Amino acid sequence: MNAPRTAPATIPTPDWDGVRTDFPLLTREIQGKSLIYLDSANTGQKPASVIEAVDDFYRRHNANVSRAVHTLGTEATDAYEGARSKLARFLNVRADELVLCSGTTFAINLVAYSWALPRLKSGDTLLVSRMEHHANIVPWQLVAERTGARIKVAELTADGSLDLPALYAAMTTDVKLLALAHVSNVLGTVNPVREICREARKRGIVTVVDGSQAAPHRALDVAAIGCDFYAITGHKMCGPTGTGALWARREHLQAMPPFIGGGEMIREVSFEGTVFNDAPHKFEAGTPNIAGFIGLGAAVDYLQSVGMANIEARENELLAHATEELLKIDGLRIFGRAPGKAAVISFLIEGAHAHDLATLLDLEGVAIRSGQHCAHPLLQFLGVAATCRASLAFYNTHDEIERFVVALKKARGLLA
Ligand code: PLP
């Protein structure tokens, strides 16, 4: 169950045009134009192998997990647990420290309710960065409300980096937990989580890293990061929606009470009391999204066949191209210019509303996101009501970037 990871093999650079044909949806037309999908930070597209894995499960293997001794039940359980093992190897963690759940939102709530709520009290502080997604803010606010703990905000520098000296100064003795994105979904900032977690650990602060925007785009070694909790979501990493995971240090999983009660998470139930299953099953009550996790296992296989180092290099190339072209547009401002940032470009064009730009781009077949990206406190810091966000993935092409920029210039012309 817990095979240690062997050194990742170097995968030759793939034929990117070939990779693109793995994604059926990318051949779609929108408004009579070829789709240009630039919303992968929102959700990633799915390769055929993932869609087929889900389809194959329902056609040939469908049964519930861990309940039946019949052949289908065994096949379903093996495939589900196989997906957990694949994901564990992908993250370089132990499979029995990986709780499968519906995604990052659930994963962080699990930490909030099961780790933080019973431990925090008035006088304690939760440290949260300014660039967090609401999924890494609101659960802490709920904990703070119930416990009397307070929330302190780690602020950013002008380019959208975390202000590290300020962050370390904010790690005072009252701080019990630090909640931090590995990669920002708005700015693309890649936080030096390894260094930050080391500093937090020295001060006895428990760290929760939101890896939603990291796992799809770079090789991860969660064990080396040295955090206490790491959350990921499957739908952004080419997997099905409603899948994700929380990795936690064993000592936390053992000490934490169950969050949701029901079947699967117990060893024995009587009206006198219940004996819970071991972690991670103790946190997986009820029938899980079996087909989804089998699809996520296929997504992990797929990402590894392309190679995470290749994916990161490809996306860096696309990011550099898109940034250079966008900056040639008069009045265009990019939010988030941290060195080494990921391929997420939030921008505005002077005089044009973000939603108007996104609507006009849709008429050209270009899918970008506009709005506040579930990050209201960050947008308040940026001093804008909304931004446009083009988020790239390895399946995008240089040609798409050129066509996106042409479409954006046309949209801007219409709004001028
Ligand atoms: N955290 C970040 C940084 C995100 O970008 C997202 C999704 O956009 C989430 C959390 C929420 O994840 P989920 O969709 O799994 O609830």
Side-chain angles (χ1 to χ4, degrees):
M1 191 183 185
N2 296 314
R5 179 199 262 181
T6 48
T10 306
I11 315 276
T13 308
D15 161 22
W16 292 112
D17 291 336
V19 164
R20 192 176 164 82
T21 62
D22 294 334
F23 292 80
L25 189 137
L26 296 179
T27 58
R28 250 202 81 170
E29 292 203 338
I30 300 285
Q31 317 276 5
K33 310 266 169 60
S34 306
L35 166 69
I36 299 176
Y37 186 74
L38 303 179
D39 198 18
S40 293
N42 204 352
T43 196
Q45 293 304 342
K46 321 301 176 202
S49 59
V50 169
I51 299 166
E52 283 157 13
V54 174
D55 181 84
D56 180 65
F57 174 73
Y58 282 129
R59 284 181 193 280
R60 294 176 27 86
H61 308 283
N62 181 45
N64 212 331
V65 290
S66 310
R67 283 179 190 162
V69 293
H70 57 67
T71 301
L72 290 180
T74 309
E75 286 175 4
T77 304
D78 288 350
Y80 177 72
E81 289 303 331
R84 188 196 310 273
S85 299
K86 284 179 190 179
L87 199 55
R89 279 196 295 275
F90 182 75
L91 299 172
N92 196 27
V93 297
R94 291 172 57 106
D96 60 4
E97 294 176 353
L98 198 60
V99 179
L100 301 183
C101 61
S102 64
T104 296
T105 300
F106 189 97
I108 294 175
N109 276 278
L110 171 54
V111 184
Y113 283 92
S114 190
W115 187 88
L117 198 57
R119 283 171 181 75
L120 297 197
K121 56 183 185 329
S122 171
D124 291 338
T125 298
L126 298 144
L127 183 56
V128 177
S129 100
R130 167 70 65 179
M131 69 176 81
E132 298 312 306
H133 185 282
H134 295 160
N136 207 15
I137 298 175
V138 180
W140 309 122
Q141 287 177 326
L142 294 173
V143 167
E145 255 172 41
R146 293 221 205 155
T147 59
R150 70 176 189 118
I151 291 184
K152 190 151 77 172
V153 181
E155 295 293 352
L156 313 182
T157 61
D159 70 359
S161 301
L162 258 182
D163 185 339
L164 289 179
L167 173 69
Y168 298 145
M171 289 182 179
T172 44
T173 50
D174 53 312
V175 175
K176 300 294 180 250
L177 178 141
L178 167 67
L180 180 66
H182 192 164
V183 176
S184 158
N185 65 313
V186 179
L187 304 166
T189 307
V190 181
N191 288 315
V193 285
R194 202 169 166 162
E195 174 191 329
I196 293 169
C197 291
R198 193 176 51 235
E199 290 303 315
R201 205 162 178 73
K202 275 191 217 161
R203 295 160 170 85
I205 298 170
V206 162
T207 44
V208 182
V209 179
D210 174 353
S212 306
Q213 299 289 348
H217 304 292
R218 50 197 57 230
L220 282 180
D221 185 343
V222 170
I225 290 171
C227 54
D228 289 277
F229 298 98
Y230 196 94
I232 60 158
T233 195
H235 71 96
K236 295 188 201 288
M237 42 190 289
C238 296
T241 52
T243 63
L246 174 73
W247 172 78
R249 286 180 187 270
R250 167 176 299 272
E251 65 261 29
H252 294 316
L253 289 179
Q254 281 171 348
M256 284 158 58
F259 171 38
I260 306 274
E264 300 291 345
M265 48 78 76
I266 50 83
R267 189 164 290 147
E268 208 181 298
V269 179
S270 73
F271 281 110
E272 284 66 52
T274 292
V275 181
F276 300 119
N277 209 335
D278 292 331
H281 303 286
K282 137 173 124 170
F283 300 105
E284 296 178 7
T287 300
N289 180 0
I290 307 165
F293 282 105
I294 289 166
L296 183 56
V300 165
D301 288 341
Y302 180 80
L303 290 173
Q304 286 178 325
S305 74
V306 178
M308 295 312 291
N310 290 328
I311 286 174
E312 187 176 345
R314 167 75 170 173
E315 292 176 355
N316 282 343
E317 227 180 67
L318 293 168
L319 172 67
H321 181 188
T323 305
E324 187 184 336
E325 291 303 316
L326 287 173
L327 287 174
K328 289 180 190 161
I329 298 177
D330 266 356
L332 188 142
R333 177 175 166 211
I334 291 179
F335 299 88
R337 304 296 304 278
K341 67 173 274 191
V344 175
I345 310 172
S346 286
F347 65 92
L348 276 178
I349 300 183
E350 211 180 319
H353 195 282
H355 290 314
D356 293 340
L357 283 172
T359 304
L360 288 172
L361 284 173
D362 185 55
L363 295 176
E364 301 296 319
V366 181
I368 63 159
R369 183 154 177 210
S370 56
Q372 302 189 320
H373 318 296
C374 297
H376 290 183
L378 174 58
L379 275 273
Q380 285 153 17
F381 167 80
L382 297 174
V384 293
T387 72
C388 292
R389 182 185 71 183
S391 51
L392 310 171
F394 59 94
Y395 44 68
N396 290 124
T397 66
H398 288 285
D399 180 56
E400 284 183 311
I401 287 170
E402 302 282 343
R403 288 189 288 140
F404 158 52
V405 171
V406 169
L408 189 57
K409 285 179 180 162
K410 183 173 165 189
R412 174 177 167 263
L414 290 170
L415 293 171

